[in-house]
Amino acid sequence: TQNPAEIARIRNISTVQFGKYDLFPWYFSPYPEEFSQEDVVYICEFCLSYYGNLKSFTRHRHKCTLQHPPGNEIYRDDLISFYEIDGRRQRTWCRNLCLISKMFLDHKTLYYDVDPFLFYVMTCRDDKGCHLLGYFSKEKESADNYNVACILTLPQYQRKGYGRLLIQFSYELSKIEGKLGSPEKPLSDLGLLSYRQYWIENIVDLLLEYHDKDDRCSLDTIASKLAMTTQDVEHTLQAYKMQIYHKSEHKIIIPNSQLESHEKRKKKVRRFIDPDRIQWKPPV
Ligand code: ACO
Ligand code: ZN
């Protein structure tokens, strides 16, 4: 039996209290039906369990001992930690994560069958624990070589460069695996904007590097260096009008306008994933 709100896809939760933040969901998420009657849904920011009233939530917070996602820490720098969580081993936690994520994602419908996925969860550390910033999920075995199934930055942290870090991390994992990766389609509008930005920036960086060495850089070189599929490389070059056909040859160029926006972007970006700090081997 399907929840009527689900069929109509009406936003069913009005406010969520999560850690020290109030979140205002964008879309329907399949929390139990009675939760849509509550003014506020309280979510424990560590174990992600949800409560319809403050009293039971407070009681839970006194008992809950979790201070970071229930998996292995595979990356740590001065601020950020990444955890890898197996959907099969941490079914409830991962389902709860998907319920949160569905509030901000319209077109994905994964919430119950989390077993085939690994979850890469990005947190920031302070004296209280590791606070969830965002995550991406990844199929343990993807027939289409997708390196991301779902990606989310919690709304209170959006537009601060964390999405870019998540995307970079997903490609760093693909580089370690020696595979070319691509996010699962369709992308949301925000997903496409963020990926486009990541792709163009890294492609231009690489082209400039080759240009400095007086070397030519082919589509395939870009793809393998960045662990991107050649299709994503080609679409990006097309979108930014960076391919020309000259004397029966395809050439990649960087228009001046693109160089300028590249410079501007580089000035803004402060934080990167340091690949040397990733402690991870592809799961066997
Ligand atoms: N408007 C315009 N451009 C944007 C916006 C926006 N709202 N959001 C991101 N961008 C572009 C910008 O170019 C931005 O760079 P800039 O801020 O330097 O201009 C770039 O993307 C990267 O932005 P970040 O701050 O790194 O990204 P953020 O942390 O906000 O996360 C994400 C992006 C994950 C897509 C976030 O918007 C989100 O969680 N959205 C809801 C869920 C979703 O749609 N996920 C993707 C679904 S597709 C899939 O899962 C495969
Ligand atoms: Zn808890």
Side-chain angles (χ1 to χ4, degrees):
T1 59
Q2 226 183 354
N3 185 331
E6 177 162 19
I7 296 162
R9 291 182 152 214
I10 300 166
R11 193 168 52 88
N12 53 332
I13 307 288
S14 49
T15 308
V16 168
Q17 192 186 300
F18 186 86
K20 59 179 179 191
Y21 297 97
D22 283 333
L23 312 184
F24 303 98
W26 304 347
Y27 306 112
F28 172 84
S29 182
Y31 285 98
E33 215 175 326
E34 60 273 21
F35 278 71
S36 50
Q37 259 88 66
E38 306 294 347
D39 292 329
V40 181
V41 172
Y42 302 85
I43 300 183
C44 174
E45 64 163 324
F46 295 113
C47 72
L48 312 184
S49 54
Y50 41 86
Y51 298 88
N53 64 73
L54 188 55
K55 208 171 146 204
S56 48
F57 173 66
T58 310
R59 206 181 311 129
H60 167 79
R61 283 301 306 150
H62 284 300
K63 287 189 308 195
C64 184
T65 53
L66 211 58
Q67 284 182 314
H68 58 75
N72 295 329
E73 191 181 12
I74 57 170
Y75 179 86
R76 177 189 282 237
D77 62 23
D78 54 334
L79 177 72
I80 280 168
S81 287
F82 268 85
Y83 287 82
E84 181 185 56
I85 296 123
D86 185 327
R88 191 178 58 79
R89 290 203 207 154
Q90 298 292 341
R91 216 170 260 156
T92 306
W93 195 90
C94 293
R95 281 180 183 160
N96 287 344
L97 181 63
C98 291
L99 284 172
I100 293 173
S101 149
K102 181 63 192 72
M103 293 190 280
F104 306 100
L105 259 170
D106 199 22
H107 61 300
K108 298 269 169 136
T109 50
L110 149 86
Y111 356 95
Y112 300 115
D113 191 15
V114 292
D115 288 25
F117 295 88
L118 291 164
F119 293 79
Y120 294 93
V121 177
M122 184 172 65
T123 63
C124 60
R125 295 187 313 274
D126 66 15
D127 51 338
K128 301 217 170 55
C130 289
H131 306 275
L132 182 65
L133 297 168
Y135 82 101
F136 63 89
S137 56
K138 176 174 181 171
E139 276 177 286
K140 291 171 185 170
E141 283 176 56
S142 168
D144 305 290
N145 260 339
Y146 291 137
N147 65 355
V148 164
C150 268
I151 184 165
L152 172 86
T153 302
L154 284 175
Q156 69 271 34
Y157 297 113
Q158 281 176 12
R159 227 44 222 281
K160 297 178 194 295
Y162 290 117
R164 152 204 310 280
L165 292 181
L166 287 166
I167 295 172
Q168 192 199 336
F169 201 85
S170 71
Y171 282 104
E172 298 297 348
L173 295 187
S174 294
K175 286 178 198 168
I176 296 172
E177 290 176 301
K179 288 183 181 166
L180 307 181
S182 182
E184 191 178 304
K185 314 300 171 307
L187 294 173
S188 66
D189 295 349
L190 290 172
L192 184 62
L193 282 170
S194 310
Y195 268 98
R196 275 262 163 85
Q197 193 70 22
Y198 176 85
W199 288 333
I200 186 65
E201 196 176 299
N202 282 278
I203 290 173
V204 172
D205 262 341
L206 192 68
L207 290 174
L208 290 174
E209 204 183 291
Y210 272 72
H211 181 79
D212 289 346
K213 292 189 294 191
D214 247 349
D215 210 349
R216 295 271 309 269
C217 191
S218 69
L219 264 173
D220 289 323
T221 313
I222 300 175
S224 73
K225 289 260 176 200
L226 300 180
M228 287 173 61
T229 60
T230 42
Q231 200 186 28
D232 286 342
V233 174
E234 194 152 24
H235 284 166
T236 308
L237 293 176
Q238 273 160 10
Y240 291 93
K241 305 200 165 41
M242 289 171 60
Q243 266 184 317
I244 52 163
Y245 193 64
H246 182 69
K247 293 188 181 151
S248 74
E249 240 191 310
H250 280 289
K251 274 200 175 144
I252 302 171
I253 52 151
I254 311 175
N256 277 332
S257 59
Q258 197 42 251
L259 263 181
E260 281 164 28
S261 33
H262 187 71
E263 300 282 298
K264 270 194 211 144
R265 272 194 306 263
K266 293 300 256 186
K267 289 205 181 98
K268 273 206 309 201
V269 183
R270 279 181 212 106
R271 206 164 257 289
F272 290 95
I273 298 296
D274 173 3
D276 292 337
R277 291 176 190 260
I278 301 179
Q279 303 231 317
W280 182 82
K281 282 206 195 76
V284 278

